[in-house]
């Protein structure tokens, strides 16, 4: 009986209680053009907006010139929401749209994954083509 209980203890000891939703709010480095995105709560979801990048420091009035939609090319980059309505957790979220102002590419749906090393994977897909970027927490 002791062996059976000991064996059960080993099995149960390997199980973990699901963690509470990770806090992904804060400032993240995008790894491109020294970009910074602030992830914040937007209702029950998470959203993210551009707060800084090398082009914005060079020209604070920098516009969304690479946007495929000519009507949106006059939007200011600073403050532009680039991820919206992400829900889920504790370490993976789904939402959208996702937008990359550097290329002008966007996706209706995106995925966020908080990795064990604390970095955040952002994945956006259009049809079968996907692109993943890894962001690092600044603070």
């Amino acid at each position: 009986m002791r062996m059976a209980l000991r064996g059960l203890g080993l099995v149960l000891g390997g199980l973990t209680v699901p963690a509470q939703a990770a806090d992904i709010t804060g400032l993240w480095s995008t790894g491109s053009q020294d970009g910074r995105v602030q992830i914040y709560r937007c209702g029950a979801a998470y959203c993210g907006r551009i707060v800084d990048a090398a082009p914005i420091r060079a020209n604070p009035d920098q516009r969304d010139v690479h946007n495929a939609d000519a009507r949106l090319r006059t939007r200011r980059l600073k403050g532009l929401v680039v991820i919206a309505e992400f829900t889920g957790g504790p370490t993976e979220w789904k939402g959208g749209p996702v937008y990359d102002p550097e290329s002008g590419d966007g996706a209706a749906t995106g995925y966020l994954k908080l990795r064990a090393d604390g970095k955040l994977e952002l994945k956006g897909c259009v049809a079968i083509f996907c692109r993943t970027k890894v962001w690092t927490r600044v603070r």
Side-chain angles (χ1 to χ4, degrees):
M1 182 67 156
R2 275 191 181 163
M3 285 299 260
L5 289 175
R6 204 173 299 160
L8 182 60
L10 289 175
V11 171
L12 291 177
L15 298 176
T16 59
V17 177
Q20 292 182 349
D23 184 15
I24 59 171
T25 60
L27 190 61
W28 293 86
S29 170
T30 66
S32 180
Q33 295 190 18
D34 201 22
R36 301 284 188 265
V37 170
Q38 180 76 39
I39 296 181
Y40 59 95
R41 293 302 298 226
C42 51
Y46 292 97
C47 296
R49 67 177 157 253
I50 298 172
V51 294
D52 192 25
I56 293 171
R57 285 191 299 280
N59 174 11
D61 198 40
Q62 181 70 38
R63 302 298 170 141
D64 190 12
V65 296
H66 298 293
N67 199 302
D69 185 341
R71 296 172 300 179
L72 299 177
R73 291 182 188 153
T74 60
R75 300 186 301 180
R76 292 185 69 197
L77 286 184
K78 188 168 185 169
L80 183 66
V81 174
V82 292
I83 63 172
E85 300 303 319
F86 277 79
T87 59
T91 59
E92 295 185 19
W93 297 264
K94 180 179 177 182
V98 177
Y99 179 64
D100 177 6
E102 187 176 349
S103 66
D105 294 332
T109 303
Y111 305 90
L112 294 175
K113 179 180 181 182
L114 187 59
R115 300 183 341 185
D117 63 2
K119 295 185 178 188
L120 189 65
E121 285 184 11
L122 171 62
K123 182 178 181 181
C125 300
V126 175
I128 60 169
F129 301 101
C130 298
R131 193 167 85 199
T132 302
K133 290 198 171 191
V134 178
W135 292 359
T136 305
R137 188 183 296 274
V138 175
R139 56 180 154 111

